[in-house]
């Protein structure tokens, strides 16, 4: 793996320990660092703010960090903090409007992690806010301005699907039971507004599915998994395994947890993988593909990562995913689990 990618693996974490700092400084002592490429990759992977914050804790003389890159890293923190503050205000206003038309909102992925996992909301970047909506007892489909409100939310980057969410089901590929997820959800308050978040087990599964959508090696999704494993529990691992099998995504969970462990050193109890009960051959294949991706020389792994993504799905779901990716127009590729994350020119 390239030196820049190794530095990113050390820095993409909230618990930046002395050992991680020493690892970064040793790499900088012994290798020339392409700081421009490192910053571009961190930005593309959604972790530029936390990487910048952790690099500031290292010895600047050892890093030999160019002034322009240091300024860029510092600016990224402040810019993302401002964006997250804007998004939080927008979300709170959206929750209030949804309540007016009797729609309950569940916070998904990074939006939920802001409340339960992230030390600060600016640590990683995000392009949108994800909600799953559920009608309340007084809701009627044509009540008031419900359609207008939901359209306005989508226009402002709030993806709010009714009774499900396309990211969690991978556009209907996985039979994720949102009725059961809602039954197990926990109430929270977001800036004075009522909302819900998934149970710890459902939240972790949803993050594993999101990792699959991003071919497993996007640093932001691995960061989310690692930090949720550290801060989002405790987890009932047998129950999580049962839920994953019900959603036909036990291979996805196995692969995502393995990728988080091998890339960022996520601490995963042995039983967490054992209770998924994958066939030994399949588990060994997924482990080999994860290792092959990491040996490929970049965090994305390119073709091997695509193979890994299909291999982590059951055959029927893999076929449905392939069919979806081939039959949907380009404007929907952002939702496609196998749409390219970046071009070779911008990813180290």
């Amino acid at each position: 793996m390239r030196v820049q990618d190794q530095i990113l693996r050390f820095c993409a974490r909230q618990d930046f320990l002395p050992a991680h700092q020493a690892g970064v400084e040793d790499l900088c002592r012994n290798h020339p660092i392409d700081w421009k490429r490192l910053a571009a990759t961190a930005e593309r992977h959604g972790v530029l703010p936390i990487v910048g914050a952790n690099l500031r804790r290292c010895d600047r003389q050892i890093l030999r960090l160019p002034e322009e890159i240091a300024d860029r890293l510092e600016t990224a923190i402040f810019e993302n903090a401002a964006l997250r503050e804007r998004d939080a205000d927008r979300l709170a206003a959206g929750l209030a409007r949804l309540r007016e038309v009797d729609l309950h909102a569940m916070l998904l992925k990074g939006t939920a992690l802001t409340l339960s996992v992230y030390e600060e909301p600016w640590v990683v970047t995000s392009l949108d806010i994800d909600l799953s909506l559920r009608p309340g007892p007084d809701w009627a489909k044509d009540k008031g301005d419900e359609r207008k409100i939901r359209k306005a939310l989508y226009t402002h980057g709030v993806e709010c699907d009714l009774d499900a969410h396309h990211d969690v089901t991978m556009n209907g590929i996985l039979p994720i039971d949102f009725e059961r997820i809602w039954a197990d959800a926990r109430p929270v308050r977001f800036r004075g507004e009522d909302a819900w978040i998934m149970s710890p087990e459902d939240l972790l599964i949803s993050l594993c599915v999101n990792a699959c959508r991003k071919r497993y090696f996007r640093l932001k999704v691995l960061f989310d998994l690692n930090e949720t494993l550290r801060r989002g529990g405790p987890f009932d691992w047998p129950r999580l395994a049962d839920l994953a099998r019900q959603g036909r995504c036990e291979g996805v969970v196995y692969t995502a947890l393995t990728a988080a462990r091998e890339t960022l050193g996520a601490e995963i109890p042995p039983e967490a993988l054992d209770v998924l009960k994958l066939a030994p051959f399949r588990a060994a294949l997924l482990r080999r593909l994860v290792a092959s991706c990491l040996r490929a020389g970049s965090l994305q792994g390119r073709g091997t990562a695509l193979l890994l993504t299909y291999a982590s799905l059951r055959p029927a779901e893999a076929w449905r995913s392939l069919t979806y990716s081939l039959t949907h127009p380009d404007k929907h590729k952002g939702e496609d689990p196998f749409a390219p994350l970046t071009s070779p020119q911008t990813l180290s």
Side-chain angles (χ1 to χ4, degrees):
M1 179 169 283
R2 295 170 181 169
V3 176
Q4 288 82 223
D5 291 344
Q6 294 179 52
I7 292 174
L8 291 176
R9 291 170 68 184
F10 280 124
C11 291
R13 65 189 69 247
Q14 294 182 119
D15 60 327
F16 191 66
L17 303 175
H20 302 130
Q21 179 179 338
V24 171
E25 292 174 352
D26 285 345
L27 288 169
C28 292
R29 284 191 191 96
N30 298 313
H31 302 276
I33 309 299
D34 186 339
W35 288 108
K36 186 175 180 180
R37 181 183 289 272
L38 183 147
T41 304
E43 185 172 20
R44 189 65 181 176
H45 280 252
V47 294
L48 186 60
I50 189 64
V51 167
N54 287 333
L55 286 174
R56 289 173 64 184
R57 299 168 61 182
C58 298
D59 189 315
R60 179 77 175 269
Q61 291 184 333
I62 296 176
L63 264 57
R64 302 189 298 277
L65 190 64
E67 194 67 35
E68 63 177 295
I69 300 298
D71 290 344
R72 181 179 177 187
L73 294 174
E74 185 168 1
T75 300
I77 295 172
F78 291 109
E79 287 182 344
N80 199 47
L83 287 173
R84 298 284 72 80
E85 181 68 18
R86 181 206 65 184
D87 288 346
D89 288 341
R90 182 180 295 167
L91 175 57
L95 292 174
R97 293 289 283 140
L98 290 167
R99 176 170 45 80
E100 292 174 5
V101 293
D102 201 33
L103 282 172
H104 301 172
M106 181 186 297
L107 313 180
L108 304 177
K109 300 189 307 183
T111 311
L113 300 184
T114 299
L115 293 178
S116 58
V117 170
Y118 298 160
E119 291 180 353
E120 299 288 348
W122 53 259
V123 292
V124 288
T125 60
S126 180
L127 298 178
D128 52 36
I129 298 169
D130 298 289
L131 304 177
S132 175
L133 305 181
R134 179 183 65 170
D138 298 325
W139 180 80
K141 187 172 183 179
D142 298 320
K143 178 181 178 180
D145 296 326
E146 179 262 340
R147 290 185 180 179
K148 183 178 179 181
I149 292 170
R150 290 182 62 201
K151 183 178 180 180
L153 290 172
Y154 260 98
T155 301
H156 289 89
V158 181
E159 296 186 355
C160 46
D161 294 0
L162 194 62
D163 291 324
H165 195 279
H166 61 271
D167 285 353
V168 180
T169 65
M170 288 178 61
N171 301 297
I173 292 167
L174 298 175
I176 303 296
D177 185 355
F178 263 84
E179 183 176 353
R180 200 266 317 146
I181 288 175
W182 268 103
D184 294 340
R186 301 167 286 168
V188 294
R189 298 280 287 177
F190 185 90
R191 299 208 167 184
E193 298 294 337
D194 292 332
W196 299 78
I197 60 174
M198 292 179 173
S199 71
E201 292 77 22
D202 285 321
L203 180 58
L204 189 60
I205 290 172
S206 74
L207 297 177
C208 291
V209 171
N210 196 44
C212 179
R213 293 178 58 247
K214 306 296 184 179
R215 296 190 188 178
Y216 292 110
F217 291 98
R218 188 167 189 242
L219 274 176
K220 180 183 179 295
V221 299
L222 295 173
F223 173 92
D224 286 346
L225 278 168
N226 188 26
E227 299 299 330
T228 300
L229 286 163
R230 291 181 57 243
R231 298 166 176 261
F235 300 98
D236 183 338
W237 292 109
R239 179 174 182 272
L240 186 147
D242 287 341
L243 297 178
R245 284 190 291 271
Q246 290 171 27
R248 301 181 66 83
C249 60
E250 68 280 3
V252 168
V253 173
Y254 187 98
T255 305
L257 294 180
T258 301
R261 181 186 64 194
E262 298 303 317
T263 306
L264 297 183
E267 295 183 4
I268 302 170
E271 66 269 19
L273 299 178
D274 293 342
V275 294
L276 291 167
K277 298 180 180 178
L278 266 65
F281 172 80
R282 187 183 182 200
L285 173 63
L286 293 175
R287 290 195 302 272
R288 282 199 197 97
L289 288 173
V290 168
S292 179
C293 286
L294 292 175
R295 288 195 303 269
S298 78
L299 285 166
Q300 179 150 355
R302 298 193 176 113
T304 309
L306 178 61
L307 177 60
L308 172 65
T309 305
Y310 279 112
S312 68
L313 295 166
R314 292 187 185 185
E317 282 66 41
W319 175 250
R320 291 174 65 190
S321 180
L322 177 61
T323 302
Y324 179 91
S325 66
L326 293 175
T327 58
H328 281 65
D330 289 341
K331 68 179 181 178
H332 295 301
K333 292 300 183 182
E335 300 174 3
D336 178 7
F338 305 116
L341 289 175
T342 184
S343 63
Q345 288 78 19
T346 58
L347 180 68
S348 66

